[in-house]
């Protein structure tokens, strides 16, 4: 199926789903099993010694059914469905602030640009202490409950009580909730002359349009080649991956195909009208790149459109069909597998019902040395495939193996740093530092470029983090561990400050200069340019 064909609108979806549902009912082979389940539920509800929660029993039954299937067939409650959809639909309805919790108080990191909070004058550093006259500070309210109070239907009003530095009394703001965009692209910038960089955090409904905007911006700045960063990208919508791949592939080139026991093979092909048909392309992946991220990586690699740099991807190649239930809950049922253009199945092996073993796969890969040594990765000859143009050898067996392997540098992540991070000492330290110094930093550094060139993380800031760690009995075991931690911590803190003064693009502009995968990608582009 072409990209154009799959985007054509269908008919009445609900009516079609109902018709299909009754067809499925008629097609059940073991009707006695269904009757057995209904009979058991009826007797339990009517005869059991205590009152029962039928809803909870049904949910437990559904989860039990799916437990015996593959690792990615799941059940979600209506609340979980709403949360999942918001993350991929590209918007939610609320007040429009990025925030964190510091010492039991909500601190505004940034108001969303042109969002409802910014419009009424809420600024970074403000502390929200009440929502509609209900205290949310100092009452140990969970982050989830605070979010629930801040969010609400577009057009509804919410009264926020705010403490602001330099202002004696509590200031109240009436905010009219609105649709708040959720960006799925984290960063867009020129990483080197003529080389653009785009980091995709997930594949949602707006990802393709965000990418197109990013490509336009970078082309205006002289981009010829592009790095797409899919590290830690857990995937999302197939449609988004197909649309993005279309920007780089020629007409009728296969992007991905799906096939299942009942679902017939379905091909997704490029239309050839993409914005970047020329120019070199490098895709960055790691062990947390999954699903839609693997579709894009596999298409680019198999069609010899670009190269993959990093580590083998997660290996999530199962197609889920969402089945909405009457109460708004949902089953995401696996109906097919994803295959790359060369015929590789993206899904790594698994045994039905053994979800715990599946969840430990990354741990086992780490223990076997796969993250640190390419030689520890062995593929059977039966898993060898060839790319479609240059006939380069690529491998199946789950996930996408990069063309250029970059080992995980385990020496950079000291036990001391991990403990500081786990206890929220680094995050809270950043919040405190920004709270005290935001105004002065903004006065001193008018532009990010000036900040990047001149700013050095103060020793007093680092010492405050170490002192806080000491209070919680977290200390480096020796001077060597302390120095290794500092080498990682300094750029991390600088990146966090850049994020809070500007945005995620500036965070990655700082952080990427310390990334081994980024360095390798730039080396690949520079080496190929010289040939």
């Amino acid at each position: 199926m072409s990209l154009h064909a799959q985007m054509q609108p269908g008919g009445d979806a609900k009516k079609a789903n109902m018709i299909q549902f009754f067809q499925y009912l008629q097609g059940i082979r073991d009707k006695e099993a269904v009757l057995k389940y209904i009979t058991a539920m009826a007797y339990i509800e009517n005869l059991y010694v205590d009152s029962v929660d039928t809803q909870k029993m049904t949910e437990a039954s559904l989860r039990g059914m799916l437990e015996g299937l593959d690792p990615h067939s799941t059940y979600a409650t209506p609340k979980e469905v709403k949360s999942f959809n918001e993350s991929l639909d590209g918007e939610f309805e609320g007040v429009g602030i990025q925030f964190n919790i510091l010492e039991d108080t909500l601190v505004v990191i940034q108001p969303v640009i042109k969002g409802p909070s910014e419009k009424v004058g809420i600024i970074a550093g403000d502390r929200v202490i009440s929502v509609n006259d209900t205290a949310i500070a100092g009452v140990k309210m969970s982050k989830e409950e605070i979010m629930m109070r801040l969010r609400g239907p577009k057009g509804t009003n919410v009264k926020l009580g705010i403490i602001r530095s330099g202002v004696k009394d509590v200031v109240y703001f009436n905010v009219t909730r609105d649709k708040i965009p959720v960006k799925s692209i984290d960063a867009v910038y020129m990483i080197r002359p003529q080389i653009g960089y785009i980091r995709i955090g997930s594949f949602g409904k707006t990802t393709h349009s965000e990418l197109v905007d990013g490509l336009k911006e970078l082309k205006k700045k002289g981009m010829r080649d592009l790095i797409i960063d899919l590290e830690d990208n857990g995937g999302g919508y197939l449609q988004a991956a197909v649309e993005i791949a279309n920007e780089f592939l020629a007409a009728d080139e296969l992007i991905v195909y799906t096939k299942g026991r009942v679902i017939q093979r379905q091909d997704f092909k490029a239309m050839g009208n993409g914005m970047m048909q020329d120019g070199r392309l490098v895709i960055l992946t790691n062990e947390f790149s999954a699903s839609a991220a693997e579709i894009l990586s596999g298409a680019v690699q198999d069609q010899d459109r670009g190269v993959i740099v990093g580590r083998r991807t997660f290996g999530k190649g199962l197609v889920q069909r969402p089945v909405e239930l009457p109460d708004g809950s949902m089953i995401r049922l696996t109906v097919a597998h994803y295959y790359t253009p060369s015929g590789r199945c993206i899904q790594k092996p698994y045994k039905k019902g053994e979800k715990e073993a599946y969840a430990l796969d990354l741990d086992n890969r780490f223990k076997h040395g796969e993250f640190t040594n390419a030689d520890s990765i062995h593929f059977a000859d039966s898993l060898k495939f060839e790319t479609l143009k240059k006939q380069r050898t690529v491998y199946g067996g789950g996930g996408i193996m990069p063309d250029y392997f970059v080992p995980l540098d385990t020496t950079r992540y000291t036990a001391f740093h991990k403990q500081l991070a786990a206890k929220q000492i680094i995050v809270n330290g950043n919040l405190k530092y920004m709270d005290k110094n935001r105004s002065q930093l903004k006065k001193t550094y008018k532009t990010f470029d000036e900040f990047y060139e001149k700013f050095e993380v103060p020793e007093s800031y680092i010492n405050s983090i170490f002192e806080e760690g000491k209070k919680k009995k977290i200390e480096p075991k020796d001077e060597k561990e302390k120095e290794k931690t500092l080498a990682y911590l300094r750029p991390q803190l600088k990146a966090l400050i850049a994020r809070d003064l500007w945005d995620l693009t500036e965070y990655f502009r700082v952080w990427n200069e310390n990334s081994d995968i980024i360095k390798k990608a730039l080396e690949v582009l520079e080496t190929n340019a010289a040939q």
Side-chain angles (χ1 to χ4, degrees):
M1 178 183 289
S2 70
L3 175 63
H4 176 72
Q6 80 154 337
M7 292 177 68
Q8 294 302 303
D12 186 337
K14 285 190 176 180
K15 184 178 179 181
N17 285 341
M18 288 301 295
I19 292 171
Q20 195 171 54
F21 169 69
F22 286 112
Q23 289 174 341
Y24 287 158
L25 278 180
Q26 293 170 4
I28 292 175
R29 287 170 293 180
D30 193 348
K31 293 181 173 61
E32 285 188 7
V34 177
L35 181 60
K36 180 179 178 180
Y37 174 77
I38 295 171
T39 303
M41 286 287 289
Y43 275 105
I44 291 169
E45 185 166 359
N46 285 281
L47 296 178
Y48 186 65
V49 62
D50 297 318
S51 61
V52 294
D53 188 328
T54 309
Q55 182 69 26
K56 283 188 176 180
M57 284 180 58
T58 303
E59 289 185 0
S61 300
L62 287 170
R63 294 184 195 277
M65 288 181 201
L66 297 170
E67 279 288 328
L69 303 179
D70 65 277
H72 297 292
S73 287
T74 57
Y75 168 79
T77 64
K79 185 178 179 181
E80 291 167 339
V81 171
K82 186 174 184 292
S83 177
F84 175 79
N85 288 340
E86 282 178 351
S87 67
L88 293 177
D89 285 351
E91 63 181 21
F92 65 90
E93 295 179 348
V95 299
I97 54 172
Q98 298 174 35
F99 70 90
N100 215 323
I101 306 298
L102 175 62
E103 296 174 348
D104 216 14
T105 301
L106 184 157
V107 179
V108 177
I109 303 299
Q110 292 280 8
V112 173
I113 296 173
K114 296 181 180 178
S117 290
E118 186 189 60
K119 286 178 181 176
V120 298
I122 293 173
I123 60 175
D126 282 348
R127 283 169 161 74
V128 182
I129 62 167
S130 66
V131 178
N132 285 336
D133 297 323
T134 298
I136 64 169
V139 293
K140 298 191 181 301
M141 189 177 288
S142 70
K143 193 170 183 177
E144 290 72 24
E145 188 174 349
I146 291 173
M147 288 176 65
M148 183 183 71
R149 291 176 183 275
L150 292 173
R151 293 186 179 185
K154 175 183 176 180
T156 58
N157 293 317
V158 59
K159 179 183 172 185
L160 303 183
I162 283 176
I163 292 177
R164 177 172 295 174
S165 178
V167 179
K168 184 179 179 181
D169 298 320
V170 177
V171 183
Y172 292 95
F173 292 89
N174 288 307
V175 183
T176 302
R177 296 183 179 100
D178 203 346
K179 288 189 179 296
I180 309 300
V182 179
K183 289 187 177 181
S184 54
I185 288 185
D186 297 329
V188 177
Y189 70 99
M190 293 295 291
I191 193 167
R192 294 291 186 274
Q194 299 184 336
I195 302 175
Y197 170 91
I198 296 179
R199 182 181 176 96
I200 304 176
S202 62
F203 289 83
K205 285 186 178 179
T206 64
T207 309
H208 176 244
S209 62
E210 290 177 48
L211 179 97
V212 168
D213 290 342
L215 290 176
K216 288 177 181 176
E217 177 187 331
L218 294 175
K219 284 195 168 189
K220 287 179 182 177
K221 295 178 179 178
M223 177 190 69
R224 292 179 58 186
D225 305 318
L226 178 64
I227 296 171
I228 294 183
D229 193 343
L230 300 180
E231 294 175 85
D232 304 324
N233 183 318
Y237 291 139
L238 162 68
Q239 180 70 27
V242 169
E243 289 173 338
I244 289 171
N246 179 69
E247 296 299 328
F248 307 104
L249 299 179
D252 293 324
E253 287 187 333
L254 184 61
I255 295 169
V256 66
Y257 67 91
T258 60
K259 187 171 61 174
R261 178 179 66 87
V262 178
I263 306 298
Q264 294 183 346
R265 172 167 169 161
Q266 187 175 17
D267 289 356
F268 297 85
K269 295 182 179 181
M271 295 190 298
N273 61 345
M275 283 187 65
M276 195 169 172
Q277 300 289 298
D278 301 311
R280 293 172 300 167
L281 182 61
V282 176
I283 306 283
L284 311 184
T285 65
N286 65 6
E287 55 277 7
F288 298 109
S289 308
S291 186
E294 296 174 295
I295 291 172
L296 177 58
S297 303
V300 167
Q301 188 178 56
D302 281 6
Q303 295 291 359
D304 289 300
R305 175 62 185 87
V307 294
I308 314 300
V309 173
R311 292 184 291 278
R312 181 159 71 102
T313 60
F314 182 85
K316 195 276 187 186
L318 297 175
V319 183
Q320 277 76 52
R321 174 176 174 173
V323 180
E324 191 172 340
L325 302 177
D327 66 345
S329 60
M330 181 181 287
I331 291 174
R332 293 178 56 78
L333 188 66
T334 296
V335 295
H337 286 88
Y338 291 123
Y339 294 87
T340 71
S342 67
R344 292 181 287 166
C345 180
I346 292 172
Q347 178 61 41
K348 61 188 175 185
Y350 64 90
K351 290 184 180 179
K352 289 181 179 179
E354 296 188 8
K355 292 193 176 184
E356 186 175 347
Y358 186 82
L360 292 173
D361 176 64
L362 288 183
D363 287 338
N364 292 332
R365 283 165 61 178
F366 177 77
K367 290 174 183 176
H368 293 156
E370 180 181 319
F371 295 166
T372 55
N373 192 339
D375 293 338
S376 67
I377 307 169
H378 302 287
F379 293 101
D381 287 342
S382 61
L383 297 175
K384 282 186 177 181
F385 291 77
E386 289 186 343
T387 60
L388 301 184
K389 296 184 178 69
K390 297 181 180 179
Q391 284 73 54
R392 295 182 299 119
T393 299
V394 290
Y395 293 93
I400 305 297
M401 186 66 190
D403 301 293
Y404 297 90
F405 176 79
V406 180
L408 177 68
D409 185 358
T410 56
T411 64
R412 295 179 67 188
Y413 309 96
T414 66
F416 178 45
H417 182 276
K418 288 175 183 175
Q419 287 179 299
L420 290 173
K423 294 293 184 180
Q424 300 288 304
I425 293 170
I426 296 171
V427 170
N428 288 338
N430 176 67
L431 283 169
K432 290 176 182 176
Y433 178 80
M434 292 304 297
D435 196 40
K436 291 179 180 177
N437 299 283
R438 185 186 303 274
S439 297
Q440 187 58 46
L441 286 167
K442 284 189 171 182
K443 288 177 184 176
T444 305
Y445 305 102
K446 302 295 184 185
T447 66
F448 169 77
D449 290 335
E450 189 179 359
F451 169 85
Y452 183 80
E453 293 296 329
K454 297 179 180 179
F455 179 79
E456 297 289 341
V457 177
E459 289 299 319
S460 58
Y461 180 12
I462 293 170
N463 289 338
S464 69
I465 288 177
F466 286 178
E467 286 165 11
E468 191 63 31
K470 192 174 182 179
K471 289 177 186 176
K472 297 184 179 180
K473 297 182 180 179
I474 300 172
E475 296 184 76
K477 62 184 178 183
D478 52 34
E479 194 64 26
K480 187 176 180 181
E481 185 179 39
K482 180 180 178 181
E483 289 304 313
K484 280 187 176 180
T485 301
L486 281 170
Y488 187 86
L489 186 60
R490 288 185 195 278
Q492 181 185 18
L493 294 176
K494 184 171 180 176
L496 288 170
I497 294 167
R499 178 202 66 185
D500 290 352
L501 289 175
W502 289 280
D503 208 340
L504 272 176
T505 286
E506 286 70 30
Y507 171 90
F508 284 105
R509 285 182 68 178
V510 174
W511 185 245
N512 282 344
E513 295 304 312
N514 301 277
S515 164
D516 292 334
I517 291 181
I518 291 284
K519 289 174 184 176
K520 186 63 178 179
L522 292 170
E523 178 190 316
V524 167
L525 287 171
E526 288 164 5
T527 301
N528 290 344
Q531 292 176 351

